[in-house]
Amino acid sequence: MVQTYQKHGPTQAFGLVCSSASNSQFDGKLAYVPALEDVLVWDVKKGHMVAMWHETGHRAEVTCILRSPQRDSFAVGYADGSIRLWSTDTGTVATTFNGHKKSVTALAFDKRGTRLASGSQDTDLIVWDVVGEAGLFRLRGHRDQITSVQFMTASELPSTSTTTASGLLLTSSKDTFLKVWDLSTQHCVQTVVAHRSEIWTMDIREEQDLIFTGSGEGELKAWKIDRESLSKGLRETEAGEVHKIIHPICPLPLSSKHRVSQILFHPTQPYLAVQSHDRSVEIFRIRTEEEVQKKQLRRKKRARERKGQEQDKGDARNAGIEQEKEDYHEVLLVDLFTPHLVIRASGKIRSFDFGPGDTNVRGGTQLLVALATNALEVYSVPQPQRSKDTPEVTRTYSVDLPGHRTDVRTLSLSSDDQILASASNGSLKIWNVKTTTCIRTIDCGYAICSTFLPGDRHIAVGTKNGDILIYDLASSSLIETIQAHTATIWSLDVGADQLSLVSGSADKDVKFWELSRKVGTSEGYGKLTHTRTLKMTDDVLSVRYSPNGKLLAVALLDSTVKVFYQDSLKFFLSLYGHKLPVLSMDISHDSKLIVTCSADKNVKIWGLDFGDCHKSIFAHDESVMQVAFESNSHYFWTVGKDKMLKYWDGDKFDNIQKLDGHHGEVWALAVSHHGNFVVTGSHDKSIRIWEKLDEPLFLEEERERELENLYESGLADTLNRENPPVGNGAGGMRGDVTSEVEATAVTKQTSETLMAGERIMEAIDLADGERATFQNYAEAMSKLPEDDAMRTQPPPRNPVLAAYDLEPDLYVLRVVEKVPSTALEDALLVLPFGKVISLMGYLNEWAQKDMNIPLASRIIFFLLKTHHHQIVANRIMRTALIPLRMHLRAALIRQKEIIGYNLAALQYIRRRNTSNRTAQFYDELDEESVRAKIAEGKKRKRVNIKT
């Protein structure tokens, strides 16, 4: 009989405030921050999560977040190169764009939010049509990761060609270049070597006159945008060169020489914020030229007064004015941008964002700071003061309690599986397992291991400096500190009798402690008293009692595991075979098996009766950090530095399930006492619960699914190889010329597009088969006379078409319509040329029947562009294309007439509405009402006019 197992599935990750792989956005009240593969929306004032944007099954980390000018949608870029447009109202994905091969690093919307530009680690720049849900074109030219993208606009910016996609794009990259791209001609019109090292950030002032760039060497440079060149478009100078759009001005001095990682202009206030140090943001105040000139004149006047020139007052005034004219210097950029203040955060800053344009009640501007330590802080930047006192920055809000500042190093569950304790360097947190909310946060040392004490009212934590800390959950307080060891305590375990505790440390000691109960109570911790010490020859990395209370297993730094009798501490077995130290181990519920995991990436299963190794399994690609048996079974769990959680059968030695979800090394593991779920804690600071589902799992099916996924991803990677010639298009006939093309089409094959292409092929096959069957029947019947006895009933319809009650051409349309708009062109690339010819026939029929003409037009345009050479060379296609041209043109003319009629009607309604409102306005202004209004108003001021 085939062995079945229970499948496990992930629930949402918790313990995260924000992750450090992406920037954050702030609207004055809500902070939109990355949390590994999700986006969290925090109310910073209340400190609670408003929403979580999570897409089921999507694992790639968030790398870029940008709010659309439409305000109700966000563009989010991911590490797998995809971009999703999230709706803030519904918290769902509106559109998915797939075009980049590596993670998305920069995003920019144009002013209306109808176009989106994305830059990536793969050095490509892609412009997307947000409304049409399609990639417009891909621009190549940079040689390293694109770090920033900005749209450049000018009033009445002309297009240099007849296309509608006019405008300019400015990009910066790690290859030290600033590039200006003309979107109408789809070419780079200016390249500037901006810095000697990587450009990490760039921003354009709202007035579109200044650009600031920041480099890896800590240099901040200013650049001027030539408005005349912007407004007149591409033109040549007398020397025959193209007019330059960007001109260098000068560098701006900063207080530190670290890498400039972010530059941001405030949308409305005169502020520029620059982050060049790990923990601080420097705020510059932007002055106007008039302010600077007044300041210069005041300074010179004071200087002359100090010199004490003794002249006649009238002469002095005249001389002063002349002197001022002589001394007047041109206002420099350094004078316009003056340091205002520095914001120092409590941890390393990952990104920051200004609040909305208006100032808050206290007259300051809000700045959100997202820290790399899994926390958010909001600072209030005060307005410039007249007095000489330096303005004070105040931290108004912070969100840090729902997560750890450092890696989660240890997890432990209460005996009823209701409460989870997680500890890291600096804090111990208690979580409600059902709601995943943080109930308690307690300060602690550098925690390495932890365990609930009997009664679940106290927790023992082993620290790096050798102390055992006892915490009381009810009062959230440290009630006892025991200086147990002189070095790191690597492991703690409570005995089966619930009266003893054992600790293993790097000081080569195993110490035994007795848990005394409180007087007069049936449960609860009284005091921890040291009873015995077992001296070992090496550092102790793990200790474990056997559930039957007879044995104690001790893992040492010399890669062996020693097993002792618990009562007498006599030596019983030595388990050797690992090449590197055993980091963790566990003993099964029946005390028959012991499983050990090691830094040598192997897991070994041993028998506890003779110490024989049943099986050695190469379990993970990196060190295996922890292992634990599931309750009342021989199934066990392992976690490793390869970010994986794996489920194993300890009797058959099969890998039941691989669960990936963490984005960092998994340090900690806790298995539920009832076997319902497993909890993991990671270097990415997240805690995840993996629940047992009702769904059965068959190993053969699981392996088949893994192979299918591997094949599909391999096929997609092959199709996405570097610069492939698409179809037999323009680049297909010219060898390697495609790699030199600056602008190309946006294509990327994924498993979804491959499946969509296969579905279209299946639909075309089914429809062609149905037609062929009925055509053969009609031909056979046409040869027989009407009253012939050989005439038969028509053949039965295809069950699928009968179920949907659709004709073959309408069924193909139904399948094509279900393909997402963003994946349609990639799906059509999958079709072989034979299927393209069949699809042309169906397009003709859709055009005849007026069925979804925009979709039919888009498909025919794409197919003609892609398969141009075969279509031209193929004579048969002429018979298909001539009727298609006729029918499609007629359908488009009909649509144009309908749209023109509707537009005319809407314009007429608007004109009538305007005239009605105007007439109503003048009707209200009769003489009596005007006199009444004047009488109500203030008394008019009388003015005497002298002639």
Side-chain angles (χ1 to χ4, degrees):
M1 189 176 167
V2 179
Q3 171 83 44
T4 60
Y5 301 93
Q6 297 278 173
K7 191 176 255 189
H8 286 75
T11 60
Q12 65 185 39
F14 62 98
L16 281 166
V17 178
C18 67
S19 58
S20 58
S22 163
N23 66 310
S24 302
Q25 297 272 294
F26 185 49
D27 67 0
K29 182 188 176 191
L30 301 176
Y32 301 86
V33 300
L36 303 178
E37 69 269 23
D38 305 329
V39 175
L40 302 183
V41 184
W42 290 97
D43 185 324
V44 290
K45 190 175 181 182
K46 295 176 182 173
H48 79 263
M49 194 197 303
V50 178
M52 173 189 260
W53 299 347
H54 174 81
E55 189 170 24
T56 312
H58 188 245
R59 294 268 192 279
E61 206 168 357
V62 173
T63 54
C64 199
I65 302 174
L66 182 68
R67 188 168 201 159
S68 164
Q70 308 284 351
R71 309 306 291 170
D72 60 344
S73 77
F74 277 80
V76 180
Y78 294 86
D80 61 355
S82 63
I83 300 163
R84 283 167 173 72
L85 295 182
W86 288 88
S87 166
T88 52
D89 302 332
T90 59
T92 55
V93 178
T95 314
T96 302
F97 294 129
N98 253 314
H100 291 291
K101 296 181 184 72
K102 292 183 182 174
S103 63
V104 178
T105 52
L107 292 169
F109 279 104
D110 67 356
K111 265 195 169 172
R112 289 183 297 175
T114 54
R115 282 179 298 166
L116 172 70
S118 62
S120 163
Q121 269 186 356
D122 62 10
T123 74
D124 289 353
L125 176 71
I126 298 180
V127 180
W128 306 91
D129 180 358
V130 175
V131 180
E133 296 185 359
L136 296 174
F137 45 83
R138 184 194 302 268
L139 297 169
R140 293 185 174 130
H142 280 294
R143 294 174 192 168
D144 206 338
Q145 173 185 323
I146 294 173
T147 52
S148 189
V149 180
Q150 294 283 348
F151 276 90
M152 289 167 72
T153 52
S155 52
E156 301 302 315
L157 184 68
S159 171
T160 46
S161 77
T162 53
T163 58
T164 53
S166 60
L168 294 173
L169 257 183
L170 181 67
T171 58
S172 66
S173 165
K174 281 190 183 178
D175 60 8
T176 74
F177 294 153
L178 266 182
K179 280 182 179 280
V180 182
W181 306 84
D182 189 320
L183 298 185
S184 51
T185 59
Q186 297 171 24
H187 283 292
C188 177
V189 292
Q190 188 182 352
T191 301
V192 182
V193 183
H195 293 268
R196 283 174 299 184
S197 63
E198 303 103 328
I199 305 174
W200 280 96
T201 178
M202 174 258 296
D203 199 21
I204 301 178
R205 193 153 72 155
E206 192 71 21
E207 290 84 357
Q208 297 275 320
D209 58 349
L210 277 179
I211 302 166
F212 276 91
T213 57
S215 79
E217 292 179 340
E219 194 176 27
L220 179 66
K221 276 190 182 177
W223 307 81
K224 189 176 128 206
I225 299 173
D226 188 344
R227 304 287 291 173
E228 193 181 347
S229 294
L230 255 186
S231 57
K232 291 184 178 175
L234 289 179
R235 57 199 178 89
E236 286 188 357
T237 59
E238 291 174 2
E241 295 177 353
V242 177
H243 259 285
K244 298 278 190 290
I245 295 166
I246 300 172
H247 302 279
I249 306 177
C250 67
L252 200 68
L254 291 172
S255 58
S256 77
K257 286 292 171 193
H258 295 81
R259 183 180 95 193
V260 180
S261 47
Q262 195 180 350
I263 299 169
L264 190 65
F265 280 99
H266 194 286
T268 54
Q269 301 292 321
Y271 290 125
L272 168 71
V274 179
Q275 184 204 338
S276 61
H277 189 269
D278 281 350
R279 285 171 174 262
S280 60
V281 176
E282 201 170 343
I283 308 282
F284 288 88
R285 185 180 158 209
I286 308 170
R287 298 174 187 271
T288 59
E289 287 198 20
E290 291 77 21
E291 285 176 341
V292 174
Q293 284 170 6
K294 280 180 187 173
K295 191 177 178 184
Q296 282 179 350
L297 293 175
R298 279 201 305 273
R299 198 175 286 161
K300 285 164 189 166
K301 194 176 178 184
R302 273 195 227 104
R304 273 193 298 278
E305 282 170 2
R306 277 199 296 273
K307 284 178 185 173
Q309 294 171 337
E310 304 245 340
Q311 288 182 7
D312 196 46
K313 279 188 180 177
D315 295 344
R317 191 179 294 114
N318 294 333
I321 290 164
E322 285 170 17
Q323 187 72 27
E324 280 163 12
K325 285 177 183 173
E326 285 170 24
D327 289 354
Y328 174 72
H329 292 294
E330 188 185 351
V331 176
L332 300 173
L333 189 86
V334 180
D335 302 323
L336 293 173
F337 289 83
T338 54
H340 181 43
L341 47 84
V342 176
I343 293 173
R344 288 183 174 83
S346 61
K348 189 178 177 183
I349 297 171
R350 170 57 183 85
S351 72
F352 64 87
D353 193 25
F354 279 114
D358 51 341
T359 54
N360 66 1
V361 185
R362 282 173 250 174
T365 301
Q366 289 189 320
L367 184 90
L368 171 85
V369 176
L371 304 180
T373 56
N374 194 27
L376 296 173
E377 293 179 341
V378 178
Y379 290 87
S380 182
V381 180
Q383 296 285 71
Q385 303 292 326
R386 285 271 178 196
S387 63
K388 290 186 178 180
D389 298 336
T390 53
E392 283 291 319
V393 180
T394 52
R395 187 173 80 181
T396 48
Y397 311 115
S398 70
V399 183
D400 56 3
L401 285 180
H404 286 282
R405 304 285 74 74
T406 53
D407 300 6
V408 179
R409 290 309 297 254
T410 172
L411 296 169
S412 54
L413 279 161
S414 62
S415 58
D416 57 1
D417 291 340
Q418 298 290 314
I419 296 172
L420 171 74
S422 66
S424 67
N425 179 8
S427 65
L428 167 71
K429 288 184 183 283
I430 312 300
W431 308 83
N432 181 330
V433 172
K434 199 171 184 182
T435 61
T436 67
T437 51
C438 183
I439 311 167
R440 300 268 191 278
T441 299
I442 312 165
D443 290 340
C444 77
Y446 197 139
I448 298 291
C449 55
S450 64
T451 181
F452 272 88
L453 296 180
D456 293 336
R457 296 180 186 181
H458 301 87
I459 292 175
V461 175
T463 63
K464 196 172 184 179
N465 60 5
D467 294 343
I468 295 178
L469 310 175
I470 308 292
Y471 291 93
D472 179 37
L473 289 189
S475 62
S476 303
S477 60
L478 173 66
I479 56 171
E480 193 175 0
T481 301
I482 301 158
Q483 293 176 341
H485 296 270
T486 56
T488 306
I489 299 174
W490 287 112
S491 184
L492 291 172
D493 193 32
V494 176
D497 57 1
Q498 303 285 294
L499 295 171
S500 56
L501 177 79
V502 63
S503 61
S505 164
D507 64 3
K508 305 179 184 178
D509 285 354
V510 177
K511 290 194 177 179
F512 297 85
W513 310 82
E514 190 179 318
L515 294 163
S516 56
R517 297 193 187 281
K518 283 184 183 174
V519 180
T521 59
S522 60
E523 55 180 25
Y525 157 82
K527 193 168 175 61
L528 208 61
T529 50
H530 178 224
T531 54
R532 297 183 291 176
T533 301
L534 179 63
K535 296 274 184 186
M536 303 304 293
T537 54
D538 247 308
D539 294 15
V540 178
L541 298 182
S542 182
V543 286
R544 189 69 70 228
Y545 279 119
S546 65
N548 61 10
K550 290 181 180 177
L551 301 171
L552 172 76
V554 180
L556 301 176
L557 193 64
D558 64 3
S559 311
T560 64
V561 175
K562 303 276 194 277
V563 184
F564 300 89
Y565 288 106
Q566 187 189 325
D567 48 6
S568 62
L569 296 187
K570 279 186 178 177
F571 177 75
F572 172 50
L573 289 172
S574 181
L575 312 176
Y576 56 89
H578 281 292
K579 295 180 179 69
L580 288 170
V582 172
L583 302 176
S584 174
M585 58 188 174
D586 199 16
I587 300 172
S588 64
H589 69 105
D590 54 9
S591 302
K592 287 182 178 175
L593 294 180
I594 178 169
V595 61
T596 58
C597 69
S598 162
D600 63 10
K601 309 174 190 176
N602 287 295
V603 166
K604 289 183 190 285
I605 302 151
W606 316 76
L608 257 185
D609 40 8
F610 303 110
D612 54 325
C613 181
H614 290 186
K615 187 73 175 175
S616 180
I617 306 169
F618 183 77
H620 289 259
D621 296 333
E622 296 285 338
S623 300
V624 190
M625 298 310 295
Q626 268 202 298
V627 62
F629 271 107
E630 199 170 80
S631 62
N632 300 322
S633 76
H634 282 180
Y635 304 152
F636 63 90
W637 293 90
T638 59
V639 291
K641 281 190 177 179
D642 60 356
K643 309 172 189 176
M644 298 291 284
L645 165 70
K646 294 189 180 182
Y647 190 29
W648 305 86
D649 185 334
D651 293 326
K652 296 191 172 182
F653 319 122
D654 284 325
N655 178 209
I656 303 167
Q657 215 177 345
K658 294 176 188 172
L659 296 162
D660 62 328
H662 280 292
H663 296 265
E665 300 95 335
V666 188
W667 298 120
L669 170 73
V671 179
S672 111
H673 294 90
H674 302 305
N676 301 330
F677 60 87
V678 58
V679 191
T680 52
S682 165
H683 170 70
D684 61 21
K685 300 181 184 69
S686 72
I687 303 168
R688 289 169 194 263
I689 295 178
W690 312 80
E691 286 185 334
K692 188 172 277 187
L693 310 173
D694 295 333
E695 200 179 330
L697 183 145
F698 300 95
L699 289 184
E700 290 77 12
E701 285 182 13
E702 200 69 13
R703 297 297 161 265
E704 275 177 27
R705 193 178 290 116
E706 281 175 22
L707 287 170
E708 275 175 22
N709 293 340
L710 199 66
Y711 169 72
E712 281 174 3
S713 62
L715 184 61
D717 291 343
T718 309
L719 292 167
N720 291 328
R721 69 185 186 278
E722 203 61 38
N723 307 331
V726 177
N728 231 14
M733 302 291 283
R734 296 169 61 190
D736 291 335
V737 179
T738 42
S739 61
E740 302 301 320
V741 174
E742 197 170 28
T744 59
V746 182
T747 58
K748 183 189 176 186
Q749 294 294 351
T750 61
S751 54
E752 287 80 15
T753 59
L754 292 173
M755 283 165 66
E758 283 173 12
R759 283 199 299 274
I760 295 172
M761 277 194 272
E762 284 170 9
I764 291 171
D765 280 337
L766 190 147
D768 286 351
E770 181 80 348
R771 288 196 151 175
T773 305
F774 276 88
Q775 198 172 345
N776 293 339
Y777 169 76
E779 283 174 8
M781 291 301 106
S782 63
K783 293 172 185 174
L784 299 171
E786 288 287 329
D787 55 349
D788 197 316
M790 293 294 288
R791 292 184 76 86
T792 56
Q793 288 288 326
R797 292 182 69 190
N798 185 292
V800 176
L801 296 177
Y804 287 119
D805 193 21
L806 289 172
E807 290 300 310
D809 58 324
L810 296 181
Y811 175 70
V812 175
L813 177 63
R814 178 194 171 95
V815 171
V816 173
E817 279 178 337
K818 283 190 174 178
V819 177
S821 177
T822 50
L824 179 62
E825 292 184 358
D826 289 319
L828 292 171
L829 283 176
V830 177
L831 302 185
F833 190 65
K835 295 287 181 288
V836 171
I837 295 171
S838 294
L839 187 57
M840 292 276 195
Y842 293 117
L843 286 167
N844 182 29
E845 292 182 30
W846 301 344
Q848 263 180 296
K849 296 178 181 177
D850 254 353
M851 305 293 290
N852 204 336
I853 298 301
L855 179 69
S857 306
R858 185 181 165 194
I859 292 171
I860 187 65
F861 177 69
F862 179 75
L863 292 177
L864 288 172
K865 190 171 67 173
T866 306
H867 301 281
H868 177 255
H869 288 297
Q870 286 106 316
I871 289 168
V872 169
N874 195 330
R875 289 187 178 183
I876 305 165
M877 291 300 295
R878 188 176 175 83
T879 54
L881 284 172
I882 289 171
L884 175 59
R885 181 181 68 176
M886 191 172 65
H887 294 136
L888 193 62
R889 188 170 287 175
L892 287 169
I893 288 168
R894 283 196 296 275
Q895 293 230 335
K896 186 181 175 186
E897 286 170 354
I898 292 166
I899 291 168
Y901 182 82
N902 289 342
L903 277 173
L906 287 168
Q907 283 165 357
Y908 167 71
I909 290 166
R910 186 175 70 181
R911 284 198 301 272
R912 194 174 68 177
N913 185 35
T914 307
S915 64
N916 286 348
R917 282 168 61 192
T918 310
Q920 194 178 353
F921 174 72
Y922 282 115
D923 288 346
E924 285 175 1
L925 288 177
D926 59 326
E927 199 172 336
E928 288 178 12
S929 63
V930 171
R931 285 179 188 281
K933 277 183 184 176
I934 291 169
E936 283 171 21
K938 292 179 182 176
K939 196 171 181 182
R940 284 181 293 171
K941 191 177 180 181
R942 296 195 174 277
V943 181
N944 293 327
I945 300 170
K946 291 179 182 178
T947 55

